[in-house]
Amino acid sequence: MKEYKGLINEPKYDSNLIEGAISAFFQYIQKEKETYRILFLPYKYSMWDCLESIFEAAKEDEDCEAYVMPIPYYDKDQEGNFTEIHDESESYPDDVGIISWRDNQIDEIDPDIIFIHNPYDGNNLLTSIHPDYYTNKLVRKDRVIIYVPYHVFYKDNEGSPIPVGVSEFYADHVIAQSEWHKRQFEIVLDNYKKSDEGLNELIASFDNGNKFVALGNPKYDKARSLSKSNYPLNDDWKKVLFDSSENRKFTMLLDTTIRIILLKKESILNKVNEIIDFFEKHDDFALIWRPHPLIEPTLRDMCPELIPTYVKLVDRCKNLNNCIFDDTNDMHTAMAWSDAFMGKNGSMIELYRVTKKPSIMLEVDEKTNFESDGKYDENILSGLVSDCQVIMEKDYGLGNIIDFAKKYRKQDSTSDMPATDGKRIYEFAIEAAKLKLK
């Protein structure tokens, strides 16, 4: 521009030189790449895995400025009032390089794209993110909001409801784990439109016609890439998972979800009790029991009669030498160090199957057969595991499946499946920003 200004101010300017300067200037502009600013707003560190591989893809792009700003959230009492505030910023590893919500305002950062993973804003009965970060306060005409679910659904559990929260109404895009789940999101949103006139107007005003996009979920990337070396054990876990000769015990991971507790009540608690019985008799095995962290408060509110039985099971698990009650904020240590998984639907069985280690779908209403008669085809079961399929207890019996899993025993949980979901979501976000900001 300086050269151009000098040329046109010449008393006798050369039009060819001016035309050449303008041409060079436009060629330079066309070569310049746009830089996009992306802000990630996680609130619970245990849910960071649903954004992590998107952030990693953003960091690798020299034309992107990526920021992670963990936001606070509140507990709620029974009347819905905010009580204790939580800030999990200290939980993130140093290489994430977080920025503080106390020192930064979103509009000052001025992101082109914001990723969120909380679907409820203030509509959750138990918790609420800080009201400053409700989705309706984030939306702008010059900004793209993308909601990535913090959970995945077991692929064959078509009877499970697909929840749609407040965030999905306001977000420009919602990431679905599959085409089937994308369609379920669309059906739920259509039903909302039909049921409430005011809600219909709200949804319509934020529906760009391409709200739901099937791109997988970064949680799969995390599960595929799990390695024991990335999750060193503390001394308490080492005592349980290794024998006196420092040999690692065959280890099962047991999951119990809130939904199965509320649906099956005493039946699932009896099942857990039977499983603990089995491991109490087999000291050469180890058990990691990781129930959903909100089971106990949910039971106190909805099924208080189950609390004594549940608490007794927890205490029993904690007191056994070969059992771990895992109430940490990161499920990946348990996933990495276990050799097989047991559960009933839920996110963990869906994620565990992609580790290519045995995943067992428990049968809740039948008495468990822990005996192995050896009458199973090892090649068939190995094929199911390598194809990331879940093994049904009802088809083989739990004793046979445990016997197979002990023989199978994959040495490490690292999979040969590439971590691509986060990269796909990142690339989609950039294209979505180009379209909206254009």
Side-chain angles (χ1 to χ4, degrees):
M1 291 301 291
K2 192 173 181 181
E3 179 186 353
Y4 173 73
K5 186 177 179 181
L7 289 171
I8 63 173
N9 285 333
E10 290 285 335
K12 291 184 178 180
Y13 59 81
D14 187 326
S15 60
N16 289 329
L17 287 176
I18 293 173
E19 186 178 346
I22 293 173
S23 176
F25 174 65
F26 278 103
Q27 286 178 23
Y28 178 81
I29 289 176
Q30 288 169 353
K31 288 179 181 178
E32 281 292 291
K33 291 183 179 179
E34 293 182 278
T35 298
Y36 288 88
R37 192 174 289 117
I38 299 182
L39 177 63
F40 296 83
L41 295 179
Y43 75 109
K44 283 192 174 184
Y45 175 68
S46 61
M47 301 174 182
W48 170 238
D49 60 340
C50 74
L51 298 176
E52 188 174 9
S53 63
I54 308 173
F55 171 66
E56 289 169 353
K59 278 201 310 181
E60 291 175 0
D61 187 350
E62 62 183 18
D63 298 311
C64 172
E65 296 175 16
Y67 302 90
V68 178
M69 189 169 80
I71 58 177
Y73 65 95
Y74 292 92
D75 292 332
K76 285 183 174 182
D77 61 23
Q78 291 185 336
E79 284 72 44
N81 301 309
F82 291 173
T83 55
E84 186 178 358
I85 188 171
H86 302 273
D87 179 1
E88 300 190 5
S89 298
E90 298 299 321
S91 301
Y92 292 77
D94 293 339
D95 60 356
V96 173
I98 65 166
I99 60 175
S100 169
W101 63 275
R102 298 180 187 276
D103 302 330
N104 294 275
Q105 300 295 317
I106 289 178
D107 286 347
E108 291 176 356
I109 299 170
D110 193 23
D112 301 301
I113 303 165
I114 296 179
F115 280 99
I116 60 174
H117 68 81
N118 179 281
Y120 302 113
D121 288 345
N123 286 7
N124 191 325
L125 295 176
L126 300 175
T127 59
S128 170
I129 59 172
H130 193 294
D132 287 352
Y133 305 100
Y134 287 171
T135 318
N136 65 328
K137 297 180 181 179
L138 302 180
V139 293
R140 280 188 359 189
K141 291 183 179 178
D142 61 346
R143 180 183 293 162
V144 174
I145 308 294
I146 299 180
Y147 165 68
V148 183
Y150 61 75
H151 53 266
V152 292
F153 299 91
Y154 174 57
K155 66 185 184 68
D156 290 336
N157 189 25
E158 297 189 358
S160 294
I162 306 295
V164 172
V166 179
S167 298
E168 287 101 320
F169 295 161
Y170 291 102
D172 293 276
H173 300 286
V174 174
I175 305 301
Q177 71 186 67
S178 69
E179 288 292 340
W180 184 87
H181 289 88
K182 172 188 172 183
R183 181 60 189 142
Q184 302 316 300
F185 274 127
E186 292 169 342
I187 291 171
V188 172
L189 207 65
D190 286 342
N191 290 337
Y192 272 122
K193 288 180 183 179
K194 295 171 186 174
S195 63
D196 188 295
E197 192 171 323
L199 207 54
N200 185 7
E201 187 177 334
L202 170 67
I203 294 170
S205 63
F206 288 96
D207 190 353
N208 58 19
N210 187 31
K211 183 180 285 285
F212 302 104
V213 189
L215 294 171
N217 192 293
K219 294 176 80 71
Y220 291 116
D221 292 339
K222 186 75 170 182
R224 292 182 189 113
S225 63
L226 285 177
S227 174
K228 296 180 184 67
S229 59
N230 293 329
Y231 295 91
L233 296 177
N234 61 36
D235 289 341
D236 289 339
W237 281 45
K238 281 182 183 177
K239 288 177 185 176
V240 174
L241 301 187
F242 287 80
D243 62 22
S244 57
S245 301
E246 296 298 312
N247 296 313
R248 191 170 66 84
K249 296 180 179 180
F250 171 75
T251 302
M252 295 285 293
L253 171 58
L254 171 64
D255 169 52
T256 43
T257 66
I258 289 179
R259 186 167 186 268
I260 196 63
I261 288 273
L262 294 178
L263 282 176
K264 296 296 184 178
K265 297 184 172 64
E266 292 87 356
S267 296
I268 185 63
L269 295 180
N270 290 338
K271 186 78 172 185
V272 173
N273 189 56
E274 286 182 341
I275 290 170
I276 293 176
D277 278 344
F278 173 78
F279 280 87
E280 186 175 21
K281 297 170 186 173
H282 292 79
D283 192 52
D284 55 330
F285 291 176
L287 174 69
I288 303 172
W289 180 23
R290 185 179 174 85
H292 191 286
L294 295 178
I295 282 181
E296 190 165 338
T298 302
L299 290 180
R300 292 193 187 281
D301 284 343
M302 303 180 71
C303 300
E305 71 279 5
L306 297 179
I307 284 291
T309 304
Y310 178 74
V311 171
K312 185 177 179 181
L313 283 173
V314 171
D315 290 341
R316 190 172 170 219
C317 178
K318 290 179 177 179
N319 290 328
L320 288 177
N321 293 330
N322 64 334
C323 291
I324 293 171
F325 183 79
D326 182 12
D327 57 357
T328 63
N329 67 351
D330 189 343
M331 65 181 176
H332 298 109
T333 301
M335 290 180 67
W337 283 90
S338 56
D339 298 296
F341 173 93
M342 296 183 287
K344 185 69 175 177
N345 298 325
S347 285
M348 280 194 74
I349 197 166
E350 171 65 9
L351 291 172
Y352 202 93
R353 67 181 183 84
V354 305
T355 67
K356 296 195 174 183
K357 295 188 290 187
S359 303
I360 305 164
M361 180 69 77
L362 294 176
E363 191 69 18
V364 175
D365 295 315
E366 302 293 332
K367 185 161 180 67
T368 309
N369 180 10
F370 287 101
E371 297 298 322
S372 174
D373 58 13
K375 294 180 180 178
Y376 60 87
D377 190 319
E378 198 168 326
N379 291 329
I380 290 177
L381 292 179
S382 295
L384 290 173
V385 175
S386 62
D387 287 341
C388 301
Q389 300 297 312
V390 172
I391 303 172
M392 302 294 177
E393 178 192 350
K394 65 180 181 180
D395 293 338
Y396 298 93
L398 192 54
N400 280 334
I401 302 173
I402 290 175
D403 185 51
F404 156 74
K406 190 167 183 264
K407 296 174 183 175
Y408 184 87
R409 199 166 183 182
K410 193 174 181 183
Q411 292 305 306
D412 203 345
S413 57
T414 303
S415 167
D416 55 2
M417 299 175 71
T420 56
D421 290 5
K423 185 173 178 60
R424 280 201 302 266
I425 295 168
Y426 170 72
E427 290 171 348
F428 168 81
I430 295 298
E431 292 305 312
K434 288 179 181 178
L435 284 173
K436 185 169 183 179
L437 301 182
K438 186 178 180 181

PDB file of all heavy atoms in Angstrom, residues 276-297:
ATOM      1  N   ILE A 276     -19.497 -59.328  43.551  1.00  0.00           N
ATOM      2  CA  ILE A 276     -18.543 -59.141  44.645  1.00  0.00           C
ATOM      3  C   ILE A 276     -18.294 -60.467  45.359  1.00  0.00           C
ATOM      4  O   ILE A 276     -17.152 -60.786  45.745  1.00  0.00           O
ATOM      5  CB  ILE A 276     -19.037 -58.050  45.612  1.00  0.00           C
ATOM      6  CG1 ILE A 276     -19.023 -56.686  44.903  1.00  0.00           C
ATOM      7  CG2 ILE A 276     -18.160 -57.992  46.867  1.00  0.00           C
ATOM      8  CD1 ILE A 276     -19.580 -55.550  45.724  1.00  0.00           C
ATOM      9  N   ASP A 277     -19.346 -61.271  45.542  1.00  0.00           N
ATOM     10  CA  ASP A 277     -19.189 -62.615  46.126  1.00  0.00           C
ATOM     11  C   ASP A 277     -18.157 -63.422  45.345  1.00  0.00           C
ATOM     12  O   ASP A 277     -17.278 -64.078  45.918  1.00  0.00           O
ATOM     13  CB  ASP A 277     -20.516 -63.369  46.099  1.00  0.00           C
ATOM     14  CG  ASP A 277     -21.441 -63.004  47.250  1.00  0.00           C
ATOM     15  OD1 ASP A 277     -20.957 -62.399  48.224  1.00  0.00           O
ATOM     16  OD2 ASP A 277     -22.645 -63.305  47.156  1.00  0.00           O
ATOM     17  N   PHE A 278     -18.292 -63.403  44.012  1.00  0.00           N
ATOM     18  CA  PHE A 278     -17.394 -64.174  43.153  1.00  0.00           C
ATOM     19  C   PHE A 278     -15.949 -63.732  43.337  1.00  0.00           C
ATOM     20  O   PHE A 278     -15.033 -64.559  43.472  1.00  0.00           O
ATOM     21  CB  PHE A 278     -17.825 -64.011  41.695  1.00  0.00           C
ATOM     22  CG  PHE A 278     -16.888 -64.626  40.695  1.00  0.00           C
ATOM     23  CD1 PHE A 278     -16.887 -65.989  40.460  1.00  0.00           C
ATOM     24  CD2 PHE A 278     -15.990 -63.831  39.994  1.00  0.00           C
ATOM     25  CE1 PHE A 278     -16.010 -66.551  39.538  1.00  0.00           C
ATOM     26  CE2 PHE A 278     -15.119 -64.386  39.070  1.00  0.00           C
ATOM     27  CZ  PHE A 278     -15.130 -65.754  38.841  1.00  0.00           C
ATOM     28  N   PHE A 279     -15.708 -62.416  43.348  1.00  0.00           N
ATOM     29  CA  PHE A 279     -14.330 -61.935  43.464  1.00  0.00           C
ATOM     30  C   PHE A 279     -13.766 -62.141  44.865  1.00  0.00           C
ATOM     31  O   PHE A 279     -12.555 -62.318  45.026  1.00  0.00           O
ATOM     32  CB  PHE A 279     -14.247 -60.459  43.037  1.00  0.00           C
ATOM     33  CG  PHE A 279     -14.211 -60.290  41.550  1.00  0.00           C
ATOM     34  CD1 PHE A 279     -15.389 -60.208  40.817  1.00  0.00           C
ATOM     35  CD2 PHE A 279     -13.012 -60.274  40.866  1.00  0.00           C
ATOM     36  CE1 PHE A 279     -15.365 -60.089  39.439  1.00  0.00           C
ATOM     37  CE2 PHE A 279     -12.976 -60.155  39.485  1.00  0.00           C
ATOM     38  CZ  PHE A 279     -14.149 -60.068  38.765  1.00  0.00           C
ATOM     39  N   GLU A 280     -14.634 -62.150  45.856  1.00  0.00           N
ATOM     40  CA  GLU A 280     -14.167 -62.437  47.216  1.00  0.00           C
ATOM     41  C   GLU A 280     -13.598 -63.850  47.302  1.00  0.00           C
ATOM     42  O   GLU A 280     -12.652 -64.120  48.056  1.00  0.00           O
ATOM     43  CB  GLU A 280     -15.315 -62.269  48.208  1.00  0.00           C
ATOM     44  CG  GLU A 280     -14.887 -62.396  49.662  1.00  0.00           C
ATOM     45  CD  GLU A 280     -16.018 -62.112  50.637  1.00  0.00           C
ATOM     46  OE1 GLU A 280     -17.198 -62.218  50.218  1.00  0.00           O
ATOM     47  OE2 GLU A 280     -15.729 -61.785  51.792  1.00  0.00           O
ATOM     48  N   LYS A 281     -14.138 -64.761  46.474  1.00  0.00           N
ATOM     49  CA  LYS A 281     -13.678 -66.156  46.485  1.00  0.00           C
ATOM     50  C   LYS A 281     -12.500 -66.388  45.548  1.00  0.00           C
ATOM     51  O   LYS A 281     -11.938 -67.480  45.530  1.00  0.00           O
ATOM     52  CB  LYS A 281     -14.835 -67.081  46.069  1.00  0.00           C
ATOM     53  CG  LYS A 281     -16.022 -67.057  47.030  1.00  0.00           C
ATOM     54  CD  LYS A 281     -17.206 -67.791  46.431  1.00  0.00           C
ATOM     55  CE  LYS A 281     -18.445 -67.661  47.295  1.00  0.00           C
ATOM     56  NZ  LYS A 281     -19.648 -68.236  46.643  1.00  0.00           N
ATOM     57  N   HIS A 282     -12.150 -65.373  44.731  1.00  0.00           N
ATOM     58  CA  HIS A 282     -11.065 -65.533  43.759  1.00  0.00           C
ATOM     59  C   HIS A 282     -10.042 -64.415  43.969  1.00  0.00           C
ATOM     60  O   HIS A 282     -10.043 -63.395  43.268  1.00  0.00           O
ATOM     61  CB  HIS A 282     -11.607 -65.500  42.324  1.00  0.00           C
ATOM     62  CG  HIS A 282     -12.461 -66.675  41.976  1.00  0.00           C
ATOM     63  ND1 HIS A 282     -13.775 -66.771  42.359  1.00  0.00           N
ATOM     64  CD2 HIS A 282     -12.177 -67.823  41.294  1.00  0.00           C
ATOM     65  CE1 HIS A 282     -14.278 -67.920  41.920  1.00  0.00           C
ATOM     66  NE2 HIS A 282     -13.328 -68.571  41.277  1.00  0.00           N
ATOM     67  N   ASP A 283      -9.164 -64.628  44.914  1.00  0.00           N
ATOM     68  CA  ASP A 283      -8.181 -63.607  45.259  1.00  0.00           C
ATOM     69  C   ASP A 283      -7.161 -63.392  44.141  1.00  0.00           C
ATOM     70  O   ASP A 283      -6.440 -62.392  44.135  1.00  0.00           O
ATOM     71  CB  ASP A 283      -7.464 -63.978  46.564  1.00  0.00           C
ATOM     72  CG  ASP A 283      -6.661 -62.823  47.102  1.00  0.00           C
ATOM     73  OD1 ASP A 283      -7.236 -61.715  47.249  1.00  0.00           O
ATOM     74  OD2 ASP A 283      -5.451 -63.005  47.369  1.00  0.00           O
ATOM     75  N   ASP A 284      -7.066 -64.371  43.208  1.00  0.00           N
ATOM     76  CA  ASP A 284      -6.130 -64.208  42.099  1.00  0.00           C
ATOM     77  C   ASP A 284      -6.688 -63.286  41.024  1.00  0.00           C
ATOM     78  O   ASP A 284      -5.990 -62.933  40.080  1.00  0.00           O
ATOM     79  CB  ASP A 284      -5.789 -65.565  41.485  1.00  0.00           C
ATOM     80  CG  ASP A 284      -7.032 -66.345  41.061  1.00  0.00           C
ATOM     81  OD1 ASP A 284      -8.081 -66.167  41.707  1.00  0.00           O
ATOM     82  OD2 ASP A 284      -6.934 -67.114  40.086  1.00  0.00           O
ATOM     83  N   PHE A 285      -7.955 -62.886  41.149  1.00  0.00           N
ATOM     84  CA  PHE A 285      -8.578 -61.903  40.270  1.00  0.00           C
ATOM     85  C   PHE A 285      -8.680 -60.576  41.020  1.00  0.00           C
ATOM     86  O   PHE A 285      -8.559 -60.520  42.244  1.00  0.00           O
ATOM     87  CB  PHE A 285      -9.994 -62.318  39.866  1.00  0.00           C
ATOM     88  CG  PHE A 285     -10.077 -63.502  38.948  1.00  0.00           C
ATOM     89  CD1 PHE A 285     -11.315 -64.024  38.586  1.00  0.00           C
ATOM     90  CD2 PHE A 285      -8.941 -64.112  38.443  1.00  0.00           C
ATOM     91  CE1 PHE A 285     -11.416 -65.111  37.736  1.00  0.00           C
ATOM     92  CE2 PHE A 285      -9.027 -65.204  37.596  1.00  0.00           C
ATOM     93  CZ  PHE A 285     -10.269 -65.711  37.245  1.00  0.00           C
ATOM     94  N   ALA A 286      -8.918 -59.495  40.266  1.00  0.00           N
ATOM     95  CA  ALA A 286      -9.167 -58.189  40.882  1.00  0.00           C
ATOM     96  C   ALA A 286     -10.398 -57.565  40.233  1.00  0.00           C
ATOM     97  O   ALA A 286     -10.692 -57.797  39.053  1.00  0.00           O
ATOM     98  CB  ALA A 286      -7.958 -57.269  40.724  1.00  0.00           C
ATOM     99  N   LEU A 287     -11.108 -56.771  41.019  1.00  0.00           N
ATOM    100  CA  LEU A 287     -12.313 -56.092  40.550  1.00  0.00           C
ATOM    101  C   LEU A 287     -12.184 -54.588  40.796  1.00  0.00           C
ATOM    102  O   LEU A 287     -11.776 -54.162  41.876  1.00  0.00           O
ATOM    103  CB  LEU A 287     -13.549 -56.619  41.289  1.00  0.00           C
ATOM    104  CG  LEU A 287     -14.876 -55.897  40.989  1.00  0.00           C
ATOM    105  CD1 LEU A 287     -15.340 -56.175  39.564  1.00  0.00           C
ATOM    106  CD2 LEU A 287     -15.952 -56.292  41.994  1.00  0.00           C
ATOM    107  N   ILE A 288     -12.518 -53.802  39.765  1.00  0.00           N
ATOM    108  CA  ILE A 288     -12.664 -52.354  39.926  1.00  0.00           C
ATOM    109  C   ILE A 288     -14.141 -52.036  39.719  1.00  0.00           C
ATOM    110  O   ILE A 288     -14.678 -52.272  38.633  1.00  0.00           O
ATOM    111  CB  ILE A 288     -11.825 -51.561  38.911  1.00  0.00           C
ATOM    112  CG1 ILE A 288     -10.342 -51.933  39.002  1.00  0.00           C
ATOM    113  CG2 ILE A 288     -12.007 -50.056  39.123  1.00  0.00           C
ATOM    114  CD1 ILE A 288      -9.480 -51.319  37.901  1.00  0.00           C
ATOM    115  N   TRP A 289     -14.786 -51.555  40.745  1.00  0.00           N
ATOM    116  CA  TRP A 289     -16.197 -51.168  40.622  1.00  0.00           C
ATOM    117  C   TRP A 289     -16.266 -49.649  40.519  1.00  0.00           C
ATOM    118  O   TRP A 289     -15.838 -48.938  41.421  1.00  0.00           O
ATOM    119  CB  TRP A 289     -17.001 -51.659  41.822  1.00  0.00           C
ATOM    120  CG  TRP A 289     -18.469 -51.292  41.759  1.00  0.00           C
ATOM    121  CD1 TRP A 289     -19.190 -51.003  40.632  1.00  0.00           C
ATOM    122  CD2 TRP A 289     -19.384 -51.181  42.852  1.00  0.00           C
ATOM    123  NE1 TRP A 289     -20.502 -50.715  40.950  1.00  0.00           N
ATOM    124  CE2 TRP A 289     -20.646 -50.823  42.311  1.00  0.00           C
ATOM    125  CE3 TRP A 289     -19.259 -51.358  44.234  1.00  0.00           C
ATOM    126  CZ2 TRP A 289     -21.771 -50.624  43.111  1.00  0.00           C
ATOM    127  CZ3 TRP A 289     -20.382 -51.164  45.028  1.00  0.00           C
ATOM    128  CH2 TRP A 289     -21.625 -50.805  44.468  1.00  0.00           C
ATOM    129  N   ARG A 290     -16.804 -49.185  39.397  1.00  0.00           N
ATOM    130  CA  ARG A 290     -16.923 -47.739  39.168  1.00  0.00           C
ATOM    131  C   ARG A 290     -18.386 -47.392  38.886  1.00  0.00           C
ATOM    132  O   ARG A 290     -18.823 -47.347  37.729  1.00  0.00           O
ATOM    133  CB  ARG A 290     -16.034 -47.302  38.007  1.00  0.00           C
ATOM    134  CG  ARG A 290     -16.028 -45.776  37.819  1.00  0.00           C
ATOM    135  CD  ARG A 290     -15.136 -45.315  36.696  1.00  0.00           C
ATOM    136  NE  ARG A 290     -15.295 -43.891  36.477  1.00  0.00           N
ATOM    137  CZ  ARG A 290     -14.659 -42.929  37.143  1.00  0.00           C
ATOM    138  NH1 ARG A 290     -13.786 -43.264  38.078  1.00  0.00           N
ATOM    139  NH2 ARG A 290     -14.892 -41.664  36.885  1.00  0.00           N
ATOM    140  N   PRO A 291     -19.170 -47.142  39.933  1.00  0.00           N
ATOM    141  CA  PRO A 291     -20.556 -46.713  39.701  1.00  0.00           C
ATOM    142  C   PRO A 291     -20.599 -45.243  39.303  1.00  0.00           C
ATOM    143  O   PRO A 291     -19.642 -44.492  39.539  1.00  0.00           O
ATOM    144  CB  PRO A 291     -21.220 -46.933  41.067  1.00  0.00           C
ATOM    145  CG  PRO A 291     -20.109 -46.777  42.046  1.00  0.00           C
ATOM    146  CD  PRO A 291     -18.850 -47.245  41.357  1.00  0.00           C
ATOM    147  N   HIS A 292     -21.700 -44.840  38.700  1.00  0.00           N
ATOM    148  CA  HIS A 292     -21.869 -43.421  38.372  1.00  0.00           C
ATOM    149  C   HIS A 292     -21.747 -42.602  39.658  1.00  0.00           C
ATOM    150  O   HIS A 292     -22.332 -42.952  40.684  1.00  0.00           O
ATOM    151  CB  HIS A 292     -23.241 -43.195  37.723  1.00  0.00           C
ATOM    152  CG  HIS A 292     -23.387 -41.837  37.117  1.00  0.00           C
ATOM    153  ND1 HIS A 292     -23.566 -40.700  37.871  1.00  0.00           N
ATOM    154  CD2 HIS A 292     -23.394 -41.427  35.821  1.00  0.00           C
ATOM    155  CE1 HIS A 292     -23.671 -39.647  37.084  1.00  0.00           C
ATOM    156  NE2 HIS A 292     -23.556 -40.052  35.835  1.00  0.00           N
ATOM    157  N   PRO A 293     -20.986 -41.496  39.624  1.00  0.00           N
ATOM    158  CA  PRO A 293     -20.736 -40.750  40.868  1.00  0.00           C
ATOM    159  C   PRO A 293     -21.978 -40.132  41.502  1.00  0.00           C
ATOM    160  O   PRO A 293     -21.957 -39.791  42.687  1.00  0.00           O
ATOM    161  CB  PRO A 293     -19.756 -39.648  40.424  1.00  0.00           C
ATOM    162  CG  PRO A 293     -19.903 -39.559  38.944  1.00  0.00           C
ATOM    163  CD  PRO A 293     -20.246 -40.927  38.474  1.00  0.00           C
ATOM    164  N   LEU A 294     -23.071 -40.005  40.738  1.00  0.00           N
ATOM    165  CA  LEU A 294     -24.274 -39.380  41.292  1.00  0.00           C
ATOM    166  C   LEU A 294     -25.324 -40.401  41.733  1.00  0.00           C
ATOM    167  O   LEU A 294     -26.464 -40.033  42.027  1.00  0.00           O
ATOM    168  CB  LEU A 294     -24.890 -38.427  40.261  1.00  0.00           C
ATOM    169  CG  LEU A 294     -24.039 -37.207  39.888  1.00  0.00           C
ATOM    170  CD1 LEU A 294     -24.745 -36.363  38.830  1.00  0.00           C
ATOM    171  CD2 LEU A 294     -23.718 -36.365  41.114  1.00  0.00           C
ATOM    172  N   ILE A 295     -24.947 -41.682  41.785  1.00  0.00           N
ATOM    173  CA  ILE A 295     -25.928 -42.703  42.184  1.00  0.00           C
ATOM    174  C   ILE A 295     -26.454 -42.450  43.595  1.00  0.00           C
ATOM    175  O   ILE A 295     -27.669 -42.450  43.828  1.00  0.00           O
ATOM    176  CB  ILE A 295     -25.330 -44.118  42.069  1.00  0.00           C
ATOM    177  CG1 ILE A 295     -25.329 -44.568  40.602  1.00  0.00           C
ATOM    178  CG2 ILE A 295     -26.119 -45.112  42.917  1.00  0.00           C
ATOM    179  CD1 ILE A 295     -24.792 -45.957  40.374  1.00  0.00           C
ATOM    180  N   GLU A 296     -25.553 -42.232  44.545  1.00  0.00           N
ATOM    181  CA  GLU A 296     -26.019 -42.098  45.930  1.00  0.00           C
ATOM    182  C   GLU A 296     -26.930 -40.882  46.131  1.00  0.00           C
ATOM    183  O   GLU A 296     -28.021 -41.026  46.701  1.00  0.00           O
ATOM    184  CB  GLU A 296     -24.834 -42.050  46.894  1.00  0.00           C
ATOM    185  CG  GLU A 296     -25.280 -42.161  48.344  1.00  0.00           C
ATOM    186  CD  GLU A 296     -24.147 -42.489  49.285  1.00  0.00           C
ATOM    187  OE1 GLU A 296     -23.114 -43.024  48.840  1.00  0.00           O
ATOM    188  OE2 GLU A 296     -24.303 -42.205  50.492  1.00  0.00           O
ATOM    189  N   PRO A 297     -26.546 -39.665  45.654  1.00  0.00           N
ATOM    190  CA  PRO A 297     -27.487 -38.542  45.812  1.00  0.00           C
ATOM    191  C   PRO A 297     -28.796 -38.740  45.057  1.00  0.00           C
ATOM    192  O   PRO A 297     -29.859 -38.308  45.521  1.00  0.00           O
ATOM    193  CB  PRO A 297     -26.717 -37.333  45.280  1.00  0.00           C
ATOM    194  CG  PRO A 297     -25.559 -37.875  44.526  1.00  0.00           C
ATOM    195  CD  PRO A 297     -25.255 -39.201  45.112  1.00  0.00           C
TER     196      PRO A 297
END
